[in-house]
Tab-separated table of all heavy atoms in Angstrom:
chain	number	residue	atom	x	y	z
A	199	GLU	N	13.950	-17.749	18.481
A	199	GLU	CA	14.434	-18.633	17.424
A	199	GLU	C	13.253	-19.239	16.655
A	199	GLU	O	12.292	-19.714	17.266
A	199	GLU	CB	15.264	-19.758	18.022
A	199	GLU	CG	16.590	-19.324	18.604
A	199	GLU	CD	17.554	-18.782	17.546
A	199	GLU	OE1	17.443	-19.201	16.380
A	199	GLU	OE2	18.399	-17.938	17.896
A	223	SER	N	6.619	-20.973	12.666
A	223	SER	CA	5.618	-22.046	12.627
A	223	SER	C	4.257	-21.435	12.920
A	223	SER	O	4.138	-20.316	13.414
A	223	SER	CB	5.940	-23.119	13.678
A	223	SER	OG	5.836	-22.568	14.995
A	264	LEU	N	19.134	6.373	8.723
A	264	LEU	CA	18.662	6.478	7.330
A	264	LEU	C	19.574	5.708	6.380
A	264	LEU	O	19.095	4.932	5.536
A	264	LEU	CB	18.574	7.935	6.909
A	264	LEU	CG	18.220	8.188	5.442
A	264	LEU	CD1	16.825	7.678	5.138
A	264	LEU	CD2	18.330	9.669	5.105
A	278	THR	N	16.107	1.901	-6.343
A	278	THR	CA	17.287	2.739	-6.453
A	278	THR	C	17.608	3.347	-5.103
A	278	THR	O	16.745	3.434	-4.214
A	278	THR	CB	17.066	3.865	-7.471
A	278	THR	OG1	16.026	4.723	-7.001
A	278	THR	CG2	16.721	3.313	-8.843
A	293	ARG	N	5.863	9.033	8.522
A	293	ARG	CA	4.565	8.506	8.965
A	293	ARG	C	4.524	8.299	10.472
A	293	ARG	O	3.500	8.567	11.107
A	293	ARG	CB	4.256	7.202	8.216
A	293	ARG	CG	3.846	7.483	6.773
A	293	ARG	CD	3.491	6.256	5.981
A	293	ARG	NE	2.827	6.667	4.741
A	293	ARG	CZ	2.530	5.850	3.745
A	293	ARG	NH1	2.864	4.565	3.827
A	293	ARG	NH2	1.920	6.320	2.659
A	294	PHE	N	5.608	7.853	11.079
A	294	PHE	CA	5.636	7.745	12.532
A	294	PHE	C	5.501	9.130	13.168
A	294	PHE	O	4.802	9.304	14.162
A	294	PHE	CB	6.897	7.041	12.990
A	294	PHE	CG	6.778	5.535	12.985
A	294	PHE	CD1	7.330	4.794	11.970
A	294	PHE	CD2	6.083	4.879	13.989
A	294	PHE	CE1	7.197	3.399	11.933
A	294	PHE	CE2	5.938	3.493	13.981
A	294	PHE	CZ	6.502	2.756	12.953
A	298	ALA	N	2.474	10.676	15.590
A	298	ALA	CA	2.903	11.138	16.905
A	298	ALA	C	2.411	12.550	17.177
A	298	ALA	O	2.491	13.033	18.306
A	298	ALA	CB	4.417	11.087	17.032
A	303	ALA	N	-8.596	17.072	17.652
A	303	ALA	CA	-9.880	16.711	17.057
A	303	ALA	C	-9.872	15.341	16.386
A	303	ALA	O	-10.936	14.801	16.082
A	303	ALA	CB	-10.310	17.771	16.036
A	320	HIS	N	-40.403	9.913	21.898
A	320	HIS	CA	-41.358	9.086	22.614
A	320	HIS	C	-40.727	7.781	23.071
A	320	HIS	O	-41.249	7.112	23.969
A	320	HIS	CB	-42.569	8.804	21.720
A	320	HIS	CG	-43.311	10.034	21.349
A	320	HIS	ND1	-44.045	10.783	22.243
A	320	HIS	CD2	-43.386	10.719	20.166
A	320	HIS	CE1	-44.580	11.842	21.639
A	320	HIS	NE2	-44.180	11.827	20.371
A	327	GLU	N	-40.169	10.136	37.156
A	327	GLU	CA	-40.841	11.428	37.227
A	327	GLU	C	-41.966	11.517	36.202
A	327	GLU	O	-42.728	12.467	36.195
A	327	GLU	CB	-39.841	12.568	36.988
A	327	GLU	CG	-38.791	12.645	38.077
A	327	GLU	CD	-37.887	13.845	37.890
A	327	GLU	OE1	-38.051	14.540	36.874
A	327	GLU	OE2	-37.027	14.061	38.745
A	344	VAL	N	-6.613	-6.190	18.352
A	344	VAL	CA	-5.395	-6.736	17.765
A	344	VAL	C	-5.516	-6.683	16.249
A	344	VAL	O	-6.499	-7.150	15.668
A	344	VAL	CB	-5.157	-8.182	18.223
A	344	VAL	CG1	-3.919	-8.785	17.525
A	344	VAL	CG2	-5.003	-8.247	19.740
A	347	CYS	N	-1.210	-7.086	10.397
A	347	CYS	CA	-0.786	-6.247	9.269
A	347	CYS	C	0.010	-7.115	8.289
A	347	CYS	O	1.107	-7.585	8.628
A	347	CYS	CB	0.075	-5.083	9.738
A	347	CYS	SG	-0.707	-4.003	10.946
A	417	GLU	N	-6.273	-16.045	10.690
A	417	GLU	CA	-7.296	-16.897	11.270
A	417	GLU	C	-7.404	-16.778	12.784
A	417	GLU	O	-8.453	-17.073	13.368
A	417	GLU	CB	-7.021	-18.371	10.934
A	417	GLU	CG	-7.157	-18.711	9.458
A	417	GLU	CD	-6.607	-20.090	9.157
A	417	GLU	OE1	-5.957	-20.694	10.045
A	417	GLU	OE2	-6.816	-20.565	8.038
A	421	VAL	N	-7.220	-12.162	16.896
A	421	VAL	CA	-7.106	-11.033	15.981
A	421	VAL	C	-8.482	-10.450	15.694
A	421	VAL	O	-9.437	-11.185	15.384
A	421	VAL	CB	-6.424	-11.464	14.658
A	421	VAL	CG1	-6.514	-10.381	13.588
A	421	VAL	CG2	-4.968	-11.819	14.936
A	437	ALA	N	-10.321	-11.974	2.871
A	437	ALA	CA	-11.666	-11.468	3.197
A	437	ALA	C	-12.620	-12.605	3.522
A	437	ALA	O	-13.493	-12.459	4.406
A	437	ALA	CB	-12.201	-10.638	2.021
A	442	ARG	N	-15.856	-15.025	8.075
A	442	ARG	CA	-16.371	-16.106	8.909
A	442	ARG	C	-16.425	-15.731	10.376
A	442	ARG	O	-17.249	-16.228	11.136
A	442	ARG	CB	-15.517	-17.371	8.715
A	442	ARG	CG	-15.707	-18.014	7.352
A	442	ARG	CD	-15.193	-19.444	7.336
A	442	ARG	NE	-13.743	-19.520	7.385
A	442	ARG	CZ	-12.948	-19.537	6.324
A	442	ARG	NH1	-13.488	-19.460	5.098
A	442	ARG	NH2	-11.651	-19.637	6.447
A	472	ILE	N	3.080	9.528	-16.751
A	472	ILE	CA	2.903	8.126	-17.168
A	472	ILE	C	4.237	7.383	-17.097
A	472	ILE	O	4.306	6.203	-16.739
A	472	ILE	CB	2.314	8.065	-18.576
A	472	ILE	CG1	0.915	8.663	-18.572
A	472	ILE	CG2	2.283	6.636	-19.104
A	472	ILE	CD1	0.369	9.004	-19.960
A	482	GLN	N	6.363	-1.794	-10.153
A	482	GLN	CA	5.761	-2.674	-9.148
A	482	GLN	C	5.019	-1.832	-8.101
A	482	GLN	O	5.359	-1.805	-6.930
A	482	GLN	CB	6.856	-3.517	-8.475
A	482	GLN	CG	7.595	-4.433	-9.452
A	482	GLN	CD	8.818	-5.064	-8.832
A	482	GLN	OE1	8.895	-6.263	-8.650
A	482	GLN	NE2	9.813	-4.246	-8.519
A	495	GLY	N	-6.533	12.525	-31.512
A	495	GLY	CA	-5.774	13.664	-32.002
A	495	GLY	C	-4.379	13.758	-31.431
A	495	GLY	O	-3.494	14.424	-32.002
A	581	GLU	N	-5.556	-6.796	-16.926
A	581	GLU	CA	-4.955	-7.443	-15.758
A	581	GLU	C	-3.745	-6.669	-15.263
A	581	GLU	O	-3.025	-6.040	-16.054
A	581	GLU	CB	-4.582	-8.878	-16.123
A	581	GLU	CG	-5.796	-9.718	-16.527
A	581	GLU	CD	-5.425	-11.119	-16.960
A	581	GLU	OE1	-4.279	-11.543	-16.732
A	581	GLU	OE2	-6.293	-11.811	-17.555
A	582	GLU	N	-3.516	-6.724	-13.958
A	582	GLU	CA	-2.394	-6.010	-13.361
A	582	GLU	C	-1.109	-6.761	-13.657
A	582	GLU	O	-0.913	-7.903	-13.230
A	582	GLU	CB	-2.599	-5.882	-11.847
A	582	GLU	CG	-1.550	-5.023	-11.188
A	582	GLU	CD	-1.821	-4.811	-9.718
A	582	GLU	OE1	-2.285	-5.769	-9.046
A	582	GLU	OE2	-1.557	-3.697	-9.200
A	596	GLU	N	-15.075	12.338	-25.164
A	596	GLU	CA	-15.052	12.280	-23.709
A	596	GLU	C	-15.833	11.099	-23.161
A	596	GLU	O	-15.369	10.375	-22.272
A	596	GLU	CB	-15.591	13.580	-23.131
A	596	GLU	CG	-15.617	13.633	-21.622
A	596	GLU	CD	-16.135	14.949	-21.096
A	596	GLU	OE1	-15.693	16.020	-21.586
A	596	GLU	OE2	-16.981	14.934	-20.164
A	629	LEU	N	-15.243	9.166	-12.989
A	629	LEU	CA	-14.414	7.958	-12.939
A	629	LEU	C	-14.678	7.166	-11.676
A	629	LEU	O	-14.743	7.733	-10.582
A	629	LEU	CB	-12.921	8.352	-13.033
A	629	LEU	CG	-12.527	9.041	-14.344
A	629	LEU	CD1	-11.050	9.408	-14.306
A	629	LEU	CD2	-12.792	8.133	-15.552
A	643	MET	N	-0.661	13.305	1.076
A	643	MET	CA	-0.619	12.273	2.095
A	643	MET	C	-1.626	12.475	3.220
A	643	MET	O	-1.602	11.725	4.215
A	643	MET	CB	0.790	12.160	2.650
A	643	MET	CG	1.833	11.749	1.621
A	643	MET	SD	1.337	10.303	0.616
A	643	MET	CE	1.301	9.000	1.838
A	668	SER	N	-10.086	2.211	14.154
A	668	SER	CA	-10.877	2.469	15.347
A	668	SER	C	-12.329	2.084	15.100
A	668	SER	O	-12.793	1.997	13.963
A	668	SER	CB	-10.795	3.959	15.729
A	668	SER	OG	-11.344	4.778	14.728
A	674	VAL	N	-24.789	7.087	25.538
A	674	VAL	CA	-26.038	7.796	25.654
A	674	VAL	C	-26.457	7.873	27.111
A	674	VAL	O	-26.283	6.933	27.866
A	674	VAL	CB	-27.142	7.100	24.826
A	674	VAL	CG1	-28.447	7.858	24.900
A	674	VAL	CG2	-26.706	6.965	23.370
Side-chain angles (χ1 to χ4, degrees):
E199 292 294 333
S223 64
L264 175 64
T278 64
R293 286 182 167 171
F294 275 101
H320 298 290
E327 296 184 356
V344 176
C347 302
E417 293 169 350
V421 170
R442 289 197 289 270
I472 296 164
Q482 298 169 115
E581 299 177 13
E582 187 176 38
E596 180 179 314
L629 297 178
M643 297 312 294
S668 63
V674 182

